Amino acid sequence: MTHSFALHIADADLEPEPLDPARIVSGNPEVTGKVVWKSADGRRIRGIRQITPGVVTDTEADELFVVISGSATIECEDGPTLRVGPGDMAVLRAGDRTTWTVHETLRKAYAVNL
């Protein structure tokens, strides 16, 4: 998109996003998402992502997100453990190695800087 817009996050249609099986610790989590804006150089991305219950690992980008629905516990290796739910904002640093325990299907709006 090249102009200003508004989007109702809770009702947005999302597309399946592949999840590397090596990142799954337990359960059968599935990820869906939608990129709603990307900078011309591809280094700034805004979007919506959803993940169903399970435990997965990740190496984070520089990200700010707001939880729309659901809940999770995010353990940052050598850092804090974050408990997030509806209305919570979280910031993850580039390079953080995390383990996400998704308790209830989590939908978030995010802004990533690469």
Side-chain angles (χ1 to χ4, degrees), residues 29-107:
E30 295 180 4
V31 176
T32 54
K34 178 177 188 155
V35 171
V36 298
W37 181 86
K38 185 185 276 190
S39 63
D41 65 3
R43 295 185 52 78
R44 294 177 293 146
I45 304 167
R46 311 300 182 242
I48 303 164
R49 183 160 292 133
Q50 180 169 287
I51 184 169
T52 61
V55 181
V56 298
T57 60
D58 201 5
T59 301
E60 303 297 335
D62 176 21
E63 178 180 1
L64 176 141
F65 68 87
V66 175
V67 176
I68 305 306
S69 60
S71 64
T73 302
I74 307 162
E75 297 175 57
C76 299
E77 188 177 279
D78 301 323
T81 296
L82 312 174
R83 290 173 180 77
V84 296
D88 289 338
M89 180 181 79
V91 175
L92 298 171
R93 296 175 309 155
D96 278 349
R97 294 173 49 85
T98 56
T99 300
W100 292 65
T101 301
V102 179
H103 309 290
E104 298 173 79
T105 297
L106 184 85
R107 183 175 283 221

Side-chain angles (χ1 to χ4, degrees), residues 3-20:
H3 55 288
S4 299
F5 65 94
L7 176 66
H8 190 70
I9 298 164
D11 298 331
D13 289 327
L14 307 179
E15 298 292 327
E17 293 184 357
L19 182 60
D20 179 354

Side-chain angles (χ1 to χ4, degrees), residues 20-32:
D20 179 354
R23 292 183 40 212
I24 298 172
V25 176
S26 68
N28 188 28
E30 295 180 4
V31 176
T32 54

